[in-house]
Amino acid sequence: PLTSHLVALSDELGSYELLKKVDSKYARLETMLTEFFKQHPDEKIIIFTYFRKTISYLNERLSEAGISSQMIMGGMKEGKDDAIRRFQTESSTRVLIASEVASEGVDLQFCRVLVNYDLPWNPMKVEQRIGRIDRIGQKADKITVWNMFYANTVDARIYERLHQRLEIFEY
């Protein structure tokens, strides 16, 4: 009953087409990716997001923008190792959009940029995501992590809280 109620409410909150027109978070992502790929035409980027619908949404939007991407999430017919191998070897595919299924037990050190499109509450989940590229075999001198969130929102508070909690490991 709750799920049905929430689905019904979602129609009142706005349409998909309206979201596509005013989604400043996605617009910023697209700008960042476009600028990065101009400077680094042979590199690949991993985007982590928590929600399956967001993965599909980003895949569709990036495709419309001419940025080739691949999705990986639980329940796919292709196994995650095969999907990652395909992402690594297909030179035309630039972005891997992944759920938490790719945050553990996979090696993505052939990439040096990771985007947290949305942030989990648990700082260890963030560390697990980062650990996919910050590992033995990483050839880059430094890795880059882009954390995306709207200012003055719950997302911003999550970011601040995660940052505070992760700082305890610096001592």
Side-chain angles (χ1 to χ4, degrees):
L2 177 60
T3 304
S4 300
H5 179 68
L6 292 174
V7 169
L9 283 177
S10 71
D11 290 336
E12 297 173 23
L13 297 176
S15 73
Y16 180 69
E17 291 307 315
L18 178 61
L19 171 65
K20 288 174 72 172
K21 288 179 184 174
V22 299
D23 188 353
S24 59
K25 186 175 181 180
Y26 169 77
R28 178 68 181 132
L29 173 68
E30 183 181 321
T31 299
M32 290 167 49
L33 293 176
T34 301
E35 290 174 8
F36 180 82
F37 289 137
K38 281 181 187 174
Q39 295 176 16
H40 308 281
D42 297 326
E43 293 201 37
K44 295 176 179 268
I45 290 179
I46 296 109
I47 299 174
F48 277 101
T49 184
Y50 189 77
F51 302 101
R52 297 171 71 91
K53 291 285 189 185
T54 305
I55 293 170
S56 298
Y57 170 75
L58 291 176
N59 190 56
E60 178 182 324
R61 295 294 309 270
L62 291 174
S63 177
E64 291 169 356
I67 299 172
S68 178
S69 60
Q70 177 182 327
M71 301 183 295
I72 183 170
M73 59 186 143
M76 296 178 68
K77 289 182 182 178
E78 181 179 30
K80 73 178 178 180
D81 291 335
D82 292 335
I84 289 168
R85 196 170 11 265
R86 184 166 53 88
F87 172 64
Q88 183 177 7
T89 59
E90 285 184 7
S91 60
S92 62
T93 305
R94 309 303 304 279
V95 176
L96 178 67
I97 310 165
S99 71
E100 296 303 311
V101 84
S103 68
E104 292 184 48
V106 296
D107 297 327
L108 300 170
Q109 69 269 32
F110 57 90
C111 298
R112 67 176 178 94
V113 177
L114 180 146
V115 178
N116 285 309
Y117 194 77
D118 46 46
L119 291 162
W121 288 83
N122 184 340
M124 292 315 298
K125 294 276 188 193
V126 175
E127 288 294 318
Q128 286 173 329
R129 289 175 174 185
I130 294 168
R132 300 309 92 216
I133 65 172
D134 187 19
R135 56 192 310 110
I136 294 173
Q138 176 57 258
K139 292 181 176 37
D141 292 334
K142 72 176 190 174
I143 63 166
T144 302
V145 178
W146 295 332
N147 295 309
M148 302 195 70
F149 56 89
Y150 294 106
N152 303 315
T153 64
V154 171
D155 283 345
R157 288 196 309 245
I158 292 171
Y159 174 78
E160 289 301 321
R161 184 70 175 132
L162 285 168
H163 195 278
Q164 290 169 355
R165 293 175 79 184
L166 290 172
E167 280 182 341
I168 65 172
F169 297 112
E170 292 180 4
Y171 300 107

